[in-house]
Amino acid sequence: MNITRAEYGRAYDASHDKTVHFLMARGVPAQQAEDAAQAAWTRGWEKRATLRKIGSVAGWINSIALNIFRNDYRRGKRVDQLDDPIIAESVRPDGPRVDVENSLKVCSPEDREMLSELYVAGYSSQEVAQRHGLKPSTVRVRMFRVRQKLQAFFLGRAENDEPS
């Protein structure tokens, strides 16, 4: 199926901002999300002959955008945005601190490695599963459990840090 220029234009108008928000919801900084979204919509136009259903354009583009960001991240095209309020707050001398070293002690060495591959290197759960000889669903379940352990660790810390 070949989508027409007008159909693709309507899909772009309706969904470009959603692609940016999709990426930002996954932790991609705003400028990088915008860049990846634009690149994905461009690549989508170039590869539009492979699209099977017109109604699936937005989801297809979102997956392209996420892959573009992951690939750029792996290649080292990272930009620390110190003007981002969340990042700026965390690097202030008097800003909140995250005790990463102690928090990661609640994880096994393999779980720490998988966390790093997923959230630092930007690999997908499919890629991490292949690297560790596991099923992707196993990786997702393990990471869910690790996030629960980390949440419990930080909530316990917050309760202990509160004044009585």
Side-chain angles (χ1 to χ4, degrees), residues 128-144:
V128 172
Q130 288 173 346
R131 294 170 65 97
H132 292 269
L134 301 169
K135 293 180 182 178
S137 59
T138 303
V139 170
R140 289 189 294 272
V141 168
R142 283 179 70 168
M143 292 302 98
F144 173 76

Side-chain angles (χ1 to χ4, degrees), residues 70-82:
R70 285 178 173 157
N71 289 334
D72 286 350
Y73 191 86
R74 287 182 198 141
R75 289 186 197 110
K77 294 182 181 178
R78 298 181 269 255
V79 178
D80 291 332
Q81 294 182 327
L82 294 179

Side-chain angles (χ1 to χ4, degrees), residues 116-153:
S116 176
E117 290 169 353
L118 282 165
Y119 298 110
V120 177
Y123 290 113
S124 68
S125 58
Q126 175 74 35
E127 294 167 317
V128 172
Q130 288 173 346
R131 294 170 65 97
H132 292 269
L134 301 169
K135 293 180 182 178
S137 59
T138 303
V139 170
R140 289 189 294 272
V141 168
R142 283 179 70 168
M143 292 302 98
F144 173 76
R145 290 179 180 153
V146 166
R147 288 191 305 272
Q148 286 181 319
K149 286 180 186 177
L150 290 170
Q151 182 180 23
F153 173 85

Side-chain angles (χ1 to χ4, degrees), residues 98-129:
V98 176
D99 190 356
V100 175
E101 186 175 337
N102 285 324
S103 66
L104 290 177
K105 288 179 182 175
V106 302
C107 308
S108 72
E110 187 177 26
D111 286 345
R112 284 194 296 270
E113 185 178 344
M114 286 192 285
L115 274 171
S116 176
E117 290 169 353
L118 282 165
Y119 298 110
V120 177
Y123 290 113
S124 68
S125 58
Q126 175 74 35
E127 294 167 317
V128 172

Side-chain angles (χ1 to χ4, degrees), residues 86 88-98:
I86 294 171
E89 178 69 18
S90 68
V91 297
R92 280 188 21 218
D94 61 338
R97 297 284 177 241
V98 176

